[in-house]
Amino acid sequence: MPFNPETSFMWEEMKWPEIEAKLKITDTAILPTGAIEQHGPHLPVDVDFYDAVYMARAVAEACGTPRPFVLPAIPYGVSYHHSAFKGTLSVTNNALSALIYDIGMSLAHNGIRKIIILNGHGDNKPTLTYAAQMINRDAKIFVCVETGETSDIDLYEHVETHNDIHAGELETSTTLALRPELVDMEKAVDETLYLDNEYLEFTSDRGVNWYTHTQRLSQSGIIGNATKGTVEKGKLMWEISIRKMVEFVESIMHTPLEELHQNRY
């Protein structure tokens, strides 16, 4: 398909003059980040990475023109807590934050003024938020981290499982909807987690952020009930997630930077 600055959005597929042309009409970029880590005995290790890439592209495709840039994705994340399960590849918080910072500063140098970090792995969030703060401090551009906040409240209306946070009902469903050939439902198990403490429950409205190694909570690596995953639920969850993310991205794209900052200087 020939390059069109209004509709083309994949950064890595463009020539530099094409990027220069698109930068004249688009100042927003989506940076997908994920992880390569165990997702139970029934799902592939690339779920967080694959889903972030799929989401970024689907969102950009659904946005009005001019569409935002979609940047090359970062596959590796902070996954030390899954390290007892083979296949997990983890980087340190320092390494990931430094990489995100450098990318963000380079994007600012190119002329990007709004960066939306689309995070497919929840445990990346503290590190990505730190990097976003540093980019904002030094480049004075808009940077945010989206880890499902735009749609989680809607998605969990369709999730039956308590504390369904990893490789359970939700992620099994969304993977079944996209790549059913990679899901082994015969190995899907129920490892629903009950902590009997509303402040430690992962899906509690009063829950605090806390961290532990996954093997202390789960034998299979699943935290949730993978047996409840279905294609139908997955399709609905993707429809909700993409629609809400498009609304958010377009709201950022159509708001001038000085209004996002609430500070005209």
Side-chain angles (χ1 to χ4, degrees):
M1 184 179 296
F3 170 75
N4 181 331
E6 293 278 342
T7 57
S8 298
F9 55 83
M10 295 301 294
W11 186 285
E12 67 260 40
E13 295 177 359
M14 299 180 198
K15 290 80 173 173
W16 79 258
E18 295 172 345
I19 293 176
E20 184 176 59
K22 186 171 177 64
L23 283 165
K24 294 178 180 177
I25 60 171
T26 305
D27 66 355
T28 304
I30 301 173
L31 174 59
T33 65
I36 303 297
E37 62 180 29
Q38 71 84 20
H39 270 73
H42 67 303
L43 296 179
V45 297
D46 73 340
V47 168
D48 293 348
F49 171 62
Y50 183 94
D51 287 359
V53 173
Y54 175 82
M55 180 83 160
R57 293 182 179 183
V59 167
E61 187 71 44
C63 281
T65 56
R67 292 178 177 140
F69 285 101
V70 172
L71 298 164
I74 298 173
Y76 303 112
V78 179
S79 301
Y80 72 89
H81 49 297
H82 292 300
S83 60
F85 301 88
K86 299 303 181 187
T88 298
L89 302 176
S90 182
V91 299
T92 65
N93 305 73
N94 288 342
L96 182 60
S97 63
L99 177 61
I100 296 293
Y101 175 83
D102 286 349
I103 292 171
M105 296 303 291
S106 187
L107 285 168
H109 176 75
N110 272 271
I112 292 294
R113 294 293 173 259
K114 302 165 191 171
I115 303 172
I116 298 170
I117 302 173
L118 178 54
N119 178 31
H121 173 52
D123 284 281
N124 284 343
K125 184 176 178 180
T127 303
L128 298 177
T129 300
Y130 170 74
Q133 287 181 309
M134 296 302 99
I135 297 166
N136 171 255
R137 181 193 68 182
D138 296 343
K140 297 180 175 59
I141 63 174
F142 176 84
V143 192
C144 69
V145 179
E146 203 283 345
T147 310
E149 291 84 358
T150 60
S151 59
D152 277 353
I153 190 172
D154 305 293
L155 295 184
Y156 277 98
E157 292 179 1
H158 304 280
V159 174
E160 304 170 46
T161 310
H162 183 72
N163 276 331
D164 191 80
I165 62 164
H166 187 73
E169 179 182 352
L170 194 157
E171 288 190 308
T172 300
S173 296
T174 52
T175 305
L176 280 169
L178 297 183
R179 303 183 291 169
E181 72 280 3
L182 296 183
V183 183
D184 187 351
M185 288 302 290
E186 292 184 1
K187 294 180 180 177
V189 297
D190 178 4
E191 286 225 39
T192 303
L193 181 66
Y194 294 97
L195 295 167
D196 196 28
N197 183 331
E198 68 172 323
Y199 302 107
L200 298 183
E201 300 285 1
F202 291 106
T203 52
S204 168
D205 290 338
R206 299 181 188 276
V208 302
N209 292 326
W210 66 287
Y211 305 95
T212 187
H213 290 261
T214 304
Q215 73 268 24
R216 295 181 179 273
L217 304 176
S218 169
Q219 291 185 342
S220 67
I222 296 168
I223 303 176
N225 187 352
T227 68
K228 289 185 175 292
T230 69
V231 172
E232 292 72 26
K233 288 178 185 175
K235 289 180 178 178
L236 176 61
M237 290 169 178
W238 277 118
E239 186 277 323
I240 293 170
S241 297
I242 292 168
R243 173 168 47 83
K244 299 305 292 185
M245 188 65 180
V246 168
E247 291 177 7
F248 172 65
V249 171
E250 290 192 329
S251 74
I252 298 302
M253 292 180 65
H254 297 153
T255 304
L257 181 63
E258 61 270 17
E259 292 184 21
L260 286 172
H261 280 173
Q262 298 294 310
N263 186 3
R264 293 162 175 79
Y265 63 90

